[in-house]
C-alpha cells in the first residue's frame, strides 16, 4: 500500500526548503540596516562626518543621507551584486544537478553560502564595504543555484497528488526567510551599529543545518533511474519516500520518460532555445517568470513604508512586517489550494486581483492629498496585492517549469527560467526608482497594464497541469501547436538534436 506521505519525504522536502529559506533571508536582510551599514562604509572610506555623529549623540539620524557619492555607489553595488550573482550561476543549475545528483549538488553549493556568511559576519574586522560586497556576490551565486536545485529536487520526489503543494513550499520558505530577516533586523535586535555584521553573517547559518540533514535524505529516484540507470537504488529510494508499496507503476512511468529522454538526448540551453519541439513550453515558462517579477510586487515593497506613513501609522516598519506575515498566510493558502483548484486557476485569480489592486493603488495615491481617507484605500490595496501575489503568481512559476518539461530538457529549462527571473529582478531593482521618479504615483498604471496582459496570456496559452504526468503535459502542448510538423519531421529534429549533442 502506497502511503504517499512519509517521514522521510517530509524530511527531504524540509531539508531542501532550507535553501529557499536562506534565499529569502538574503533577499530581505540587506534592507533594514541600510543606514547603519552606510555609516560603516563611510568610516572605512574616510568620508564620515564625526562632528555630525557627536552632535547626534553618537548616532546619525535615520533620515541622514550619505554625503559622499562613493558610499552610495558601494551601497548600490552591495544590493545589486546579489542579483548579478544569481543571474550568472542560474546557468549552471543544469550542470550541477546532473553532475553528481541533486543531493550532492545541494551539498556542494552550501560551501558558497557558508563562505559568504563568514565574509559578511567578519566584515567589521576588515574592510566592511569590500567584505560585504564579496559576501553578497558569493551568496548571489549560491541563491541562483539553489533557486533551481530546490524546485527540481522537490518536484521529482513529490507524489503527483501533492506535487503542487510541495512545490509551493519553495515560495513559502522564501517568504518565511524574508520575515525572519525583517524581524531580527529591527534596531533593538540586530539592526544596529554593534550587531549588523552578525545579522548579515547569519545568512549562511541555514546552510550548516541543511548540510547535516542532506546526509539523511534519499537521492531523487527519477535521477537515479533515468540519468544513472540504477533501477534497484531507484526502487529503494521510492520506498523510502513513499512507504513499502508496489513501485511498478512509478517505475513504468519513469521508463516511459526515460525512453523519451533517450530520443531527446541531453538538451543544452542553446539547443533548447533553438528547438521548435519545446518552443511553446519554454515561452510559457519564461512568461510565468516575467509575470512574477514584472507584476510590481517589488515596487509595492518599495512604496509600502511611505504609504503607511501617509496613512498615519506611527511605526511603518511594523506595518511592513505585517505585510510579511500576510505573505506567509496566503502562501499557506496557496499550498492548500494548488492541488485542489489547479495552477492555472490560482494564477489567473492572482494576476487579475493584482491588476484591480494596482488600479486602486493608483487612485489612492493620486487623490490622497485631496481626500485623507484615500491613504487607507492605498494601504488596503497593498495588503490585498500581496495576498493575491502569494496565492498564485508568487509560488507557481517556481515549480511549474519542472512540470512543463520531461527529463531531457528539464534542467536546461529550469536554468533558463531561473536566469530570466534573476535578470528581471535586477532590472526592477535598478530602474524602478527612476521610473517612479518619472511617473510618480501613476507608476502603478504601468503595472496594471502589464498585469492585464499577463492575465490574458495565461488564460489563452497556459494549460492546467494538476494531476497530469509529465508526458501528458507534454502531449497537451504538442496538441495545442495547431498545425504541428508531421511525426517524421519531428523525429528528424530529435535525431538531429541527439546526433549533434556532445556528452
Amino acid at each position: 500500500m502506497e502511503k504517499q506521505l512519509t517521514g522521510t519525504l517530509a524530511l527531504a522536502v524540509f531539508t531542501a526548503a532550507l535553501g529557499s529559506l536562506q534565499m529569502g533571508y538574503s533577499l530581505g536582510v540587506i534592507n533594514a540596516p541600510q543606514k547603519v551599514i552606510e555609516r560603516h562604509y563611510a568610516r572605512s572610506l574616510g568620508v564620515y562626518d564625526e562632528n555630525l555623529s557627536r552632535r547626534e549623540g553618537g548616532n546619525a539620524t535615520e533620515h541622514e543621507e550619505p554625503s559622499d557619492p562613493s558610499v552610495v555607489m558601494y551601497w548600490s553595488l552591495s544590493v545589486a551584486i546579489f542579483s548579478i550573482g544569481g543571474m550568472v550561476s542560474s546557468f549552471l543549475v543544469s550542470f550541477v544537478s546532473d553532475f553528481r545528483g541533486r543531493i550532492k549538488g545541494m551539498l556542494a553549493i552550501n560551501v558558497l553560502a557558508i563562505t559568504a556568511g563568514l565574509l559578511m559576519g567578519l566584515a567589521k574586522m576588515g574592510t566592511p564595504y569590500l567584505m560585504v560586497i564579496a559576501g553578497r556576490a558569493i551568496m548571489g551565486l549560491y541563491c541562483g543555484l539553489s533557486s533551481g536545485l530546490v524546485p527540481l529536487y522537490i518536484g521529482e520526489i513529490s507524489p503527483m497528488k501533492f506535487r503542487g503543494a510541495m512545490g509551493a513550499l519553495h515560495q513559502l520558505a522564501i517568504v518565511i526567510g524574508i520575515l525572519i530577516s525583517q524581524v531580527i533586523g529591527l534596531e533593538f535586535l540586530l539592526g544596529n551599529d554593534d550587531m549588523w555584521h552578525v545579522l548579515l553573517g547569519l545568512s549562511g547559518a541555514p546552510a550548516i543545518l541543511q548540510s547535516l540533514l542532506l546526509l539523511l535524505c534519499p537521492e531523487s529516484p527519477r535521477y537515479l533511474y533515468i540519468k544513472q540507470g540504477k533501477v534497484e537504488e531507484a526502487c529503494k529510494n521510492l520506498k523510502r519516500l513513499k512507504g513499502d508499496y508496489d513501485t511498478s507503476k512509478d517505475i513504468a512511468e519513469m521508463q516511459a520518460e526515460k525512453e523519451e529522454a533517450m530520443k531527446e538526448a541531453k538538451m543544452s540551453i542553446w539547443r533548447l532555445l533553438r528547438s521548435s519541439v519545446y518552443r511553446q513550453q519554454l515561452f510559457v515558462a519564461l512568461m510565468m517568470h516575467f509575470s512574477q517579477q514584472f507584476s510590481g510586487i517589488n515596487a509595492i515593497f518599495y512604496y509600502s513604508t511611505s504609504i503607511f506613513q501617509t496613512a498615519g501609522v506611527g511605526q511603518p516598519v511594523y506595518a511592513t512586517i505585517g505585510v510579511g506575515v500576510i505573505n506567509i498566510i496566503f502562501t499557506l493558502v496557496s499550498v492548500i489550494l494548488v492541488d485542489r483548484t489547479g495552477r492555472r486557476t490560482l494564477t489567473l485569480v492572482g494576476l487579475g486581483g493584482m491588476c484591480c489592486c494596482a488600479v486602486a493603488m493608483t487612485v489612492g495615491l493620486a487623490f490622497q492629498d485631496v481626500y485623507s481617507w484615500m491613504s487607507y484605500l492605498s494601504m488596503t490595496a497593498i495588503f490585498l496585492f500581496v495576498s493575491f501575489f502569494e496565492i498564485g503568481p508568487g509560488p507557481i512559476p517556481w515549480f511549474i517549469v519542472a512540470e512543463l518539461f520531461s527529463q531531457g530538457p528539464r534542467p536546461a529549462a529550469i536554468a533558463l527560467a531561473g536566469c530570466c527571473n534573476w535578470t528581471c529582478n535586477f532590472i526592477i531593482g535598478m530602474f524602478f526608482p527612476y521610473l517612479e521618479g518619472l511617473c510618480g504615483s501613476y507608476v502603478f498604471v504601468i503595472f496594471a497594464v502589464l498585469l492585464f496582459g499577463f492575465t490574458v496570456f495565461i488564460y489563452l496559452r497556459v494549460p492546467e497541469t494538476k494531476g497530469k504526468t509529465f508526458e501528458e503535459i507534454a502531449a497537451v502542448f504538442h496538441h495545442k501547436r495547431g498545425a504541428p510538423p508531421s511525426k517524421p519531421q519531428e523525429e528528424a529534429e530529435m535525431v538531429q538534436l541527439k546526433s549533434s549533442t556532445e556528452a
Side-chain angles (χ1 to χ4, degrees):
M1 178 69 181
E2 182 181 359
K3 292 180 184 174
Q4 296 279 358
L5 291 175
T6 63
T8 304
L9 178 61
L11 174 68
V13 172
F14 170 79
T15 302
L18 284 173
S20 310
L21 180 88
Q22 191 160 266
M23 178 178 162
Y25 186 92
S26 300
L27 281 167
V29 74
I30 201 73
N31 297 320
Q34 177 180 348
K35 297 300 177 188
V36 174
I37 297 173
E38 283 180 343
R39 289 201 292 276
H40 281 272
Y41 282 9
R43 287 192 187 105
S44 180
L45 290 162
V47 296
Y48 186 63
D49 189 346
E50 295 292 348
N51 291 325
L52 173 66
S53 178
R54 280 192 289 272
R55 285 198 303 272
E56 298 293 343
N59 282 299
T61 63
E62 189 180 327
H63 300 292
E64 172 203 344
E65 293 295 327
S67 56
D68 197 273
S70 61
V71 175
V72 179
M73 183 192 74
Y74 283 119
W75 171 256
S76 300
L77 194 56
S78 302
V79 177
I81 199 78
F82 179 75
S83 295
I84 294 171
M87 285 160 55
V88 171
S89 65
S90 58
F91 279 114
L92 300 173
V93 169
S94 177
F95 170 77
V96 172
S97 64
D98 285 346
F99 184 60
R100 290 287 184 224
R102 289 32 168 164
I103 293 290
K104 288 179 181 174
M106 286 189 282
L107 202 54
I109 66 172
N110 278 339
V111 174
L112 293 172
I114 294 168
T115 303
L118 286 172
L119 276 169
M120 292 186 285
L122 300 173
K124 280 180 81 171
M125 297 172 65
T127 308
Y129 61 92
L130 291 179
M131 293 180 75
V132 170
I133 289 169
R136 290 282 292 172
I138 295 170
M139 187 59 80
L141 291 171
Y142 165 82
C143 290
L145 289 164
S146 180
S147 65
L149 282 170
V150 171
L152 179 65
Y153 177 68
I154 291 176
E156 288 186 346
I157 65 170
S158 301
M160 188 191 302
K161 186 179 175 184
F162 303 107
R163 200 169 61 207
M166 290 185 173
L169 292 175
H170 169 65
Q171 178 73 8
L172 178 63
I174 288 175
V175 296
I176 290 173
I178 291 172
L179 181 63
I180 290 171
S181 72
Q182 287 173 336
V183 172
I184 66 174
L186 291 170
E187 191 175 353
F188 68 88
L189 292 176
L190 298 182
N192 52 55
D193 262 329
D194 297 323
M195 302 297 287
W196 65 269
H197 60 294
V198 177
L199 178 69
L200 296 186
L202 285 173
S203 300
I208 299 170
L209 176 60
Q210 190 190 49
S211 297
L212 296 172
L213 293 178
L214 280 171
L215 301 175
L216 307 174
C217 297
E219 181 55 86
S220 161
R222 301 191 92 84
Y223 170 79
L224 290 171
Y225 188 92
I226 297 170
K227 293 286 185 183
Q228 301 284 296
K230 298 178 179 177
V231 183
E232 287 184 16
E233 207 170 326
C235 290
K236 180 183 169 186
N237 282 7
L238 278 171
K239 289 182 178 180
R240 282 185 67 190
L241 289 164
K242 296 186 180 182
D244 193 10
Y245 77 110
D246 182 6
T247 59
S248 57
K249 185 180 175 183
D250 282 335
I251 292 293
E253 190 212 326
M254 286 191 277
Q255 178 60 33
E257 192 173 334
K258 184 177 182 179
E259 288 169 3
E260 285 299 313
M262 289 173 70
K263 291 179 194 173
E264 295 163 348
K266 185 180 176 181
M267 188 74 71
S268 68
I269 290 172
W270 177 242
R271 298 205 175 279
L272 178 59
L273 285 169
R274 293 178 61 192
S275 171
S276 64
V277 177
Y278 301 107
R279 194 160 292 156
Q280 284 205 39
Q281 287 104 306
L282 184 61
F283 186 49
V284 166
L286 296 182
M287 282 297 288
M288 292 287 283
H289 280 272
F290 275 126
S291 71
Q292 185 196 70
Q293 287 298 319
F294 287 125
S295 64
I297 190 68
N298 292 324
I300 286 292
F301 286 124
Y302 179 85
Y303 236 102
S304 60
T305 303
S306 64
I307 295 170
F308 289 138
Q309 283 174 333
T310 307
V313 177
Q315 295 284 344
V317 65
Y318 294 110
T320 304
I321 288 173
V323 172
V325 173
I326 294 288
N327 254 336
I328 293 173
I329 292 169
F330 279 90
T331 307
L332 279 169
V333 171
S334 179
V335 169
I336 294 165
L337 292 180
V338 71
D339 281 315
R340 298 178 186 178
T341 311
R343 289 73 157 137
R344 183 173 179 272
T345 305
L346 285 183
T347 306
L348 283 171
V349 169
L351 290 173
M354 290 169 79
C355 182
C356 295
C357 290
V359 173
M361 184 81 62
T362 304
V363 173
L365 289 170
F367 292 101
Q368 66 183 10
D369 293 332
V370 181
Y371 306 103
S372 60
W373 58 269
M374 279 289 182
S375 59
Y376 294 98
L377 174 66
S378 301
M379 191 164 65
T380 305
I382 286 182
F383 283 106
L384 288 175
F385 193 98
V386 171
S387 304
F388 280 119
F389 176 78
E390 294 302 350
I391 282 175
I396 289 171
W398 287 114
F399 68 83
I400 201 170
V401 181
E403 294 186 330
L404 294 175
F405 292 88
S406 53
Q407 191 75 18
R410 188 179 294 137
I414 286 176
L416 268 175
C419 181
C420 169
N421 194 287
W422 282 98
T423 304
C424 293
N425 189 308
F426 175 72
I427 291 169
I428 291 288
M430 284 297 290
F431 296 108
F432 175 75
Y434 300 104
L435 194 64
E436 187 267 331
L438 191 67
C439 304
S441 60
Y442 294 98
V443 70
F444 289 102
V445 173
I446 298 170
F447 293 117
V449 172
L450 285 171
L451 285 161
F452 181 76
F454 291 135
T455 305
V456 172
F457 175 84
I458 300 296
Y459 180 78
L460 295 175
R461 300 294 296 273
V462 178
E464 182 53 72
T465 59
K466 181 188 74 169
K468 292 185 173 72
T469 66
F470 296 113
E471 295 309 312
E472 287 169 346
I473 294 164
V476 170
F477 278 98
H478 287 300
H479 177 71
K480 285 171 77 78
R481 280 158 74 183
S486 63
K487 194 71 179 173
Q489 185 182 341
E490 194 170 296
E491 286 177 358
E493 182 177 347
M494 289 292 195
V495 170
Q496 185 182 5
L497 283 168
K498 185 173 180 179
S499 63
S500 58
T501 301
E502 298 297 326

